[in-house]
Amino acid sequence: MLYIGATIFVLFLAIDEPEHKVWNGLFWVTQLFICINAVAKSFLQESRGRMLYFYSIVSPAHFVLAKLLFNSLLMLLMSLLSLLLFSLLMGSPLARPWSFMGLVLLGGWSLSMVFTFLAAIAARAQQNAAIMAVLGFPLIIPQLILLMKISNAAFNPVITFKATDLLLLGALDVLVGTMAVILFPFLWKD
Amino acid sequence: MTRPANYMYKSWWKILSVLLLVYTVIGGLLLPVPSLPALEETIRNLYFHVCMWFAMMILFSLSVIYSIYYLRGFDLKYDIYARQFATSGIVFGLLGYATGAIWMSYTWADPNNPAFQSFGALAREPKLIGAAIALLIYFAYLVLRDSIQDMDKRARISAVYNIFAYAMLFPAIWIVPRLLPSLHPGQEGNPAMNFKDIDGRMRMVFYPAVIGWTLLGVWITTLNIRVALFKEKKLSA
């Protein structure tokens, strides 16, 4: 929370009222870093003892689904908050704020799904959040390109959203979820 | 060795690879090609540049297949296979960039065309981005491998990452480039597979070239695998 506030405040001090392309780029980069910081905690914070406890009471598929769900909700909240702060401090060049909000929620959800799974990998490798960035950035680039491309439509009332792009984004999320459920059992046992 | 029937120790496909590559170089440089504006004779680079990317994709795919094999039986041999195929894939990816850069300097980098004056404008090319993502993923795979000490754990975690990353790679290099404007041909559909795009005379060389380069990549990889297996044996003995 404080991280979001601080980041956006620094941006606010650095530039005021950027034009919409810059606004869009800054917004998604901020989202990316917020996501890494928020989601990395989910696995890296768990102590060994607590993992053993979870191991004894639930199946790995349930565990990873619970993690995905929790992180998705967390990220949705964070996305809304950062959108609010962005519009307050940096001005709002949005032509269609409601559809952009929907897109932000969808994008935040995608980011949190991917990074939850990568946090699991990083935690098993007993590494810090830095390796998560190394592993995650190449994976997240296509989604970010897609998101920025779609969200451009929200700044311009002439361009319409393409349903296929949104479907593609949704399909990617489903893919990540499925992969996580299939692959997590292998990460789980020590 | 443990499994003499293994394809690694057969020689017929290595001979085939050499023959196909000899045919590619001779045929690729001498057989007639259609003369297209801007491309002219540089189109012969198709037999080298595009084949590198094909070989890279096939090698990465083999790496993922061996990662899946590893997770099915936890046999460390497959982990070595997966790692070596990933490394060779990276080499072919870099060669693909190199051949592409040479080709580009004769076709796109026209000093009279203002759009191509900066490197940044060319680097925005979606296919370059897609290839960069693929290479970055496999660099990350190697970094991840080296950061884990325990051998079984390293094999398991990196296999999981390999499969996960490969699944995400599909949208990166097959869907996203088609959504963005590009200088490369084949915006709609499969460029090399489409029979309208590629001339019949070129197909006579192109398909053997793809097979030849891929077999060469596999050959290099099997040599690396055999060295790695020997090292493993020495350590355990």
Side-chain angles (χ1 to χ4, degrees):
Chain A
M1 294 280 183
L2 202 61
Y3 186 82
I4 302 176
T7 314
I8 297 171
F9 192 66
V10 168
L11 282 177
F12 160 67
L13 293 179
I15 32 173
D16 46 2
E17 307 274 327
E19 58 139 344
H20 72 267
K21 267 193 172 166
V22 179
W23 197 95
N24 194 12
L26 279 177
F27 181 76
W28 287 112
V29 171
T30 316
Q31 286 291 93
L32 179 64
F33 280 94
I34 288 169
C35 186
I36 289 177
N37 278 283
V39 171
K41 286 204 182 103
S42 70
F43 278 91
L44 299 175
Q45 241 175 15
E46 306 282 12
S47 69
R48 210 183 150 72
R50 205 188 305 174
M51 286 301 256
L52 264 177
Y53 172 61
F54 286 137
Y55 188 66
S56 64
I57 55 169
V58 284
S59 77
H62 287 157
F63 182 72
V64 77
L65 281 178
K67 282 279 190 197
L68 285 173
L69 196 65
F70 173 75
N71 281 329
S72 307
L73 288 177
L74 184 72
M75 194 58 205
L76 291 186
L77 197 70
M78 298 281 189
S79 304
L80 281 181
L81 198 67
S82 69
L83 181 61
L84 184 75
L85 279 175
F86 248 79
S87 327
L88 275 179
L89 293 177
M90 316 266 286
S92 176
L94 293 167
R96 279 184 283 192
W98 293 108
S99 45
F100 187 74
M101 198 168 104
L103 193 63
V104 166
L105 294 182
L106 193 63
W109 186 45
S110 311
L111 289 174
S112 70
M113 296 274 273
V114 173
F115 278 106
T116 304
F117 192 70
L118 289 171
I121 293 181
R124 299 316 285 151
Q126 277 153 2
Q127 296 294 317
N128 52 6
I131 193 131
M132 223 173 95
V134 174
L135 297 177
F137 280 174
L139 293 183
I140 208 73
I141 291 169
Q143 282 190 352
L144 278 180
I145 292 176
L146 203 59
L147 277 172
M148 288 186 195
K149 183 178 174 286
I150 305 172
S151 53
N152 267 332
F155 296 98
N156 192 334
V158 185
I159 313 170
T160 51
F161 286 105
K162 271 206 220 137
T164 48
D165 291 352
L166 292 173
L167 275 178
L168 197 59
L169 212 56
L172 275 175
D173 289 349
V174 174
L175 175 78
V176 173
T178 328
M179 295 299 285
V181 172
I182 295 171
L183 292 175
F184 190 70
F186 293 109
L187 286 176
W188 177 253
K189 34 189 172 176
D190 228 345
Chain B
M1 293 298 283
T2 45
R3 282 170 56 190
N6 199 315
Y7 70 93
M8 253 186 343
Y9 311 107
K10 293 265 166 64
S11 58
W12 64 267
W13 58 270
K14 295 170 189 168
I15 298 169
L16 178 69
S17 163
V18 171
L19 287 178
L20 285 175
L21 287 180
V22 168
Y23 169 68
T24 303
V25 173
I26 297 175
L29 294 181
L30 295 179
L31 287 180
V33 290
S35 161
L36 298 172
L39 282 175
E40 309 284 345
E41 292 288 320
T42 63
I43 200 166
R44 292 178 194 281
N45 198 3
L46 181 93
Y47 307 135
F48 305 95
H49 171 67
V50 182
C51 297
M52 292 299 144
W53 297 119
F54 269 74
M56 180 191 85
M57 280 316 299
I58 292 168
L59 290 173
F60 283 160
S61 308
L62 285 170
S63 170
V64 171
I65 288 168
Y66 280 115
S67 281
I68 296 170
Y69 270 137
Y70 174 76
L71 287 184
R72 285 172 69 96
F74 297 109
D75 184 348
L76 274 177
K77 189 177 70 185
Y78 291 127
D79 179 53
I80 292 172
Y81 283 27
R83 186 196 184 279
Q84 300 298 344
F85 273 113
T87 325
S88 319
I90 289 176
V91 171
F92 272 82
L94 294 177
L95 284 174
Y97 266 133
T99 48
I102 297 169
W103 200 353
M104 177 185 84
S105 67
Y106 287 102
T107 49
W108 298 348
D110 183 357
N112 298 321
N113 192 334
F116 303 140
Q117 263 171 8
S118 73
F119 176 71
L122 287 175
R124 284 208 170 272
E125 173 67 23
K127 290 231 164 67
L128 286 182
I129 298 172
I133 293 169
L135 288 179
L136 278 178
I137 284 176
Y138 280 91
F139 280 131
Y141 169 73
L142 294 181
V143 169
L144 178 68
R145 285 188 65 90
D146 289 339
S147 70
I148 306 169
Q149 297 294 327
D150 184 87
M151 214 190 281
D152 289 297
K153 208 172 169 188
R154 170 169 69 202
R156 208 168 55 229
I157 293 171
S158 55
V160 167
Y161 180 71
N162 196 353
I163 298 168
F164 185 69
Y166 189 79
M168 301 284 295
L169 192 65
F170 276 88
I173 55 184
W174 283 328
I175 300 172
V176 172
R178 281 171 199 166
L179 298 174
L180 301 168
S182 166
L183 291 166
H184 273 96
Q187 197 67 12
E188 307 288 334
N190 275 321
M193 296 299 172
N194 196 336
F195 289 99
K196 275 180 295 183
D197 283 1
I198 185 162
D199 189 88
R201 286 170 292 176
M202 297 199 63
R203 251 181 285 143
M204 294 295 292
V205 182
F206 178 65
Y207 293 145
V210 169
I211 298 169
W213 285 115
T214 306
L215 285 179
L216 183 72
V218 175
W219 187 4
I220 295 170
T221 316
T222 53
L223 292 180
N224 280 332
I225 289 171
R226 286 160 81 168
V227 171
L229 285 175
F230 270 127
K231 272 187 192 157
E232 199 73 9
K233 247 188 187 168
K234 226 176 165 183
L235 280 178
S236 57

